[in-house]
Amino acid sequence: MSAQTWRVGSQCLLLLALVGSIRSEGVQSCEEVRKLFQGRLVGPVKGLPDSPRAGPDLQVCTAKKPSCCTRKMEERYQVVARQDMQQVLQTSSSTLKFLISRNAAAFQETLETLIRQAENYTSILFCNTYRNMALEAAASTQELFTDVGLYLFGADVNPEEFVNRFFDSLFPLVYNHLINPGVTDSSLEYSECVRTARRDISPFGNIPKRVLGQMGRSLLASRTFLQALNLGIEVINTTDHLHFSKECGRALLRMQYCPHCQGLALTKPCMGYCLNVMRGCLAHVAELNPHWHVYIRSLEELSDAMHGTYDIEHVLLNFHLLVNDAVMQAHRDGQKLSEQVNKICGRPVRTPTQSPRCSFDGSKEKHGMKISIRNGEETLANRRKEFINSLRLYRTFYGGLADQLCANELDAADGLPCWNGEDIVKSYTQRVVGNGIKAQSGNPEVKVKGTDPVINQIIDKLRHVIQLLPSKRDIWYVNGTAY
């Protein structure tokens, strides 16, 4: 029997348990337990008791009554109890995990498309309007948008550096083809001097700073948003694969499989009993809840802040318009700029040349311009809003996880006799503790000691990413500069 079949069988057993329970008094045969053990645990029936035995050497499922379990059965039950726990954890988080991972992938794919479109539009601008410099500008354009993608997806590149590098490379082209058209400087040293002079003489006015302000802010927001989503997936993966303490393992065994030893193969735990066991086992996980709540709220605030001229979709798809404005301004101020360059770099020795022409595919041009007319319902901002609205439903996910598992998966239906860890009873009479580590001091079912270093590490990561989420502040900082 495969592992998948075996898990499906466990779910069927959980559903069957709602039908009723078998009283332990007068159990004459262990046949039902043998069948369930063989089917559920892929274990051989050889050596399993045919009828209850007195005084078996059990460590956890001890009872005064004769038992249908052996020591080996108990050991196998303990392994499966832990596996069952991980299975229900993964099932409970599967919808949340899919929501985040699907949207993280969709946002990244959309951003990649936007980058390609923005590069396409910029190439179209040069080919349509500034054909003489288009081929030479292609390399700088490609480099800029490559850096945009690297930064968005987490690489250690600096927006200020790659934006300035683009405008530095653009100025020699504008100078040679528009301010002094028809000739191209034969000296690489002179072109480098013109490139370097760009920052001193500001041929493009304040447009490079505007580009950096808009692009720096929008890229930072989208980069942080993606990082936060990936961390959310990491949090869920971590809690889906917890390593349970020895105390928790014994408590899970007692709750789920010790009834089998008394012939109670179809019984379920009392609600209060289940809550104590699950709140004890998940006490460390519950400590995630306040940080998870703030994490989702911060994502929501960041999403709200990513609008207008600082929406990355707007910024990238309108970048070519600012480039055009920059070139036009330099062209208008050509005489003044020529004098300034001559003072800084001297008069070059020039040789007339034929500038290479643009070879941009016209079909791509038409296709690119059509893409700019976007359906308002398909914008990245609207997709983000829809995602946040769905994610908001999970703000208290980790605080109520133990209760959710008991209510949906594990405990007996109201009014039915239930298992209290020792026998079938009408109701659980022990005190029921709350969620979280502090509440476990009085837990009668599970002793919780210390803290979990894995959960603490995840909490630290959540705190860190929450600090990175800029939220609704009016001023954002990019590399120490306010925009």
Side-chain angles (χ1 to χ4, degrees):
M1 184 182 294
S2 69
Q4 183 177 3
T5 304
W6 184 101
R7 290 192 178 97
V8 170
S10 74
Q11 298 300 319
C12 294
L13 291 178
L14 290 173
L15 291 174
L16 284 172
L18 292 172
V19 178
S21 59
I22 305 173
R23 293 295 299 173
S24 58
E25 291 83 3
V27 173
Q28 299 298 320
S29 172
C30 296
E31 182 63 23
E32 191 67 25
V33 175
R34 286 163 55 88
K35 289 179 180 178
L36 291 175
F37 184 87
Q38 184 181 27
R40 172 67 181 88
L41 305 174
V42 201
V45 294
K46 184 179 180 180
L48 303 186
D50 294 316
S51 59
R53 298 177 179 179
D57 184 23
L58 302 180
Q59 298 295 307
V60 179
C61 300
T62 57
K64 295 179 181 179
K65 303 171 185 177
S67 176
C68 286
C69 290
T70 65
R71 177 70 178 275
K72 288 186 177 180
M73 288 175 66
E74 186 185 55
E75 291 172 354
R76 183 62 180 142
Y77 277 139
Q78 184 148 19
V79 172
V80 176
R82 291 172 180 266
Q83 293 173 342
D84 288 347
M85 182 65 171
Q86 285 205 332
Q87 181 66 28
V88 295
L89 280 175
Q90 291 168 19
T91 299
S92 68
S93 66
S94 60
T95 304
L96 172 60
K97 182 177 178 179
F98 178 72
L99 172 68
I100 299 177
S101 58
R102 179 191 61 187
N103 279 279
F107 290 144
Q108 178 160 334
E109 182 179 358
T110 301
L111 290 173
E112 289 170 349
T113 300
L114 288 173
I115 292 168
R116 288 195 298 271
Q117 287 179 231
E119 182 178 351
N120 191 17
Y121 293 175
T122 308
S123 298
I124 290 169
L125 168 70
F126 284 112
C127 280
N128 284 355
T129 312
Y130 308 107
R131 296 183 70 84
N132 287 345
M133 70 175 80
L135 199 60
E136 293 174 88
S140 298
T141 301
Q142 183 179 34
E143 182 182 15
L144 171 71
F145 286 105
T146 297
D147 285 336
V148 166
L150 289 172
Y151 178 78
L152 272 176
F153 305 130
D156 186 20
V157 292
N158 189 319
E160 185 174 3
E161 290 180 2
F162 61 70
V163 168
N164 277 322
R165 187 162 57 243
F166 172 79
F167 284 105
D168 288 346
S169 300
L170 180 61
F171 182 47
L173 304 182
V174 173
Y175 187 78
N176 288 334
H177 293 288
L178 290 181
I179 297 175
N180 292 294
V183 291
T184 301
D185 177 34
S186 59
S187 167
L188 292 177
E189 289 81 5
Y190 190 83
S191 289
E192 177 62 20
C193 180
V194 174
R195 191 190 72 83
T196 305
R198 197 275 301 180
R199 302 194 193 189
D200 293 325
I201 64 179
S202 299
F204 304 127
N206 70 342
I207 291 175
K209 186 173 182 180
R210 284 176 58 195
V211 169
L212 178 58
Q214 293 181 10
M215 192 172 283
R217 177 174 174 173
S218 62
L219 292 181
L220 173 63
S222 293
R223 170 188 168 110
T224 307
F225 194 83
L226 273 177
Q227 287 176 337
L229 294 191
N230 289 326
L231 175 60
I233 298 169
E234 182 182 348
V235 171
I236 297 168
N237 284 336
T238 300
T239 55
D240 275 354
H241 299 88
L242 290 174
H243 295 286
F244 301 107
S245 68
K246 181 178 180 180
E247 284 287 340
C248 171
R250 292 167 68 91
L252 291 172
L253 167 61
R254 187 179 296 108
M255 181 177 74
Q256 292 180 258
Y257 290 105
C258 284
H260 288 217
C261 299
Q262 296 188 28
L264 307 172
L266 300 179
T267 192
K268 274 198 166 188
C270 305
M271 173 59 92
Y273 174 52
C274 180
L275 288 174
N276 276 342
V277 172
M278 299 307 291
R279 287 175 178 177
C281 285
L282 298 177
H284 298 102
V285 175
E287 298 298 313
L288 281 168
N289 194 60
H291 308 284
W292 183 257
H293 188 282
V294 175
Y295 160 79
I296 292 179
R297 187 182 67 206
S298 299
L299 271 178
E300 181 179 358
E301 292 181 351
L302 173 59
S303 180
D304 288 344
M306 296 160 66
H307 61 81
T309 56
Y310 297 102
D311 178 355
I312 192 169
E313 189 166 27
H314 174 91
V315 169
L316 289 180
L317 296 185
N318 288 279
F319 171 75
H320 65 291
L321 300 178
L322 287 176
V323 172
N324 185 58
D325 290 344
V327 174
M328 291 298 293
Q329 178 163 334
H331 191 196
R332 286 194 302 267
D333 297 337
Q335 184 175 352
K336 181 182 72 172
L337 293 173
S338 183
E339 293 172 358
Q340 290 176 310
V341 169
N342 288 340
K343 286 181 180 179
I344 296 173
C345 301
R347 295 183 179 274
V349 176
R350 293 180 173 274
T351 306
T353 60
Q354 181 64 41
S355 299
R357 294 281 176 169
C358 172
S359 58
F360 196 81
D361 187 344
S363 63
K364 290 183 180 179
E365 175 184 337
K366 293 179 182 179
H367 177 67
M369 287 307 182
K370 285 182 180 179
I371 296 176
S372 64
I373 304 173
R374 303 176 65 84
N375 186 329
E377 294 183 357
E378 296 178 352
T379 64
L380 187 60
N382 284 340
R383 293 176 187 172
R384 225 173 25 239
K385 183 177 180 180
E386 182 181 344
F387 164 65
I388 291 295
N389 286 339
S390 298
L391 187 62
R392 193 182 293 119
L393 302 175
Y394 294 91
R395 283 178 296 187
T396 60
F397 176 76
Y398 285 108
L401 185 56
D403 301 50
Q404 177 189 335
L405 295 182
C406 285
N408 296 344
E409 302 281 351
L410 302 172
D411 73 296
D414 290 342
L416 290 179
C418 55
W419 173 255
N420 70 352
E422 296 180 355
D423 204 348
I424 293 294
V425 296
K426 292 183 178 179
S427 63
Y428 183 68
T429 58
Q430 295 277 12
R431 172 189 170 223
V432 179
V433 301
N435 285 294
I437 294 176
K438 291 182 179 178
Q440 303 311 308
S441 59
N443 193 327
E445 310 300 341
V446 185
K447 292 181 180 179
V448 178
K449 302 176 181 178
T451 59
D452 187 325
V454 175
I455 296 297
N456 288 344
Q457 186 178 32
I458 287 294
I459 288 174
D460 287 342
K461 288 184 178 181
L462 278 174
R463 285 173 174 163
H464 177 66
V465 81
I466 287 166
Q467 291 175 348
L468 294 179
L469 295 174
S471 75
K472 292 181 178 179
R473 292 179 295 194
D474 292 330
I475 298 178
W476 288 33
Y477 288 84
V478 181
N479 302 314
T481 303
Y483 294 97

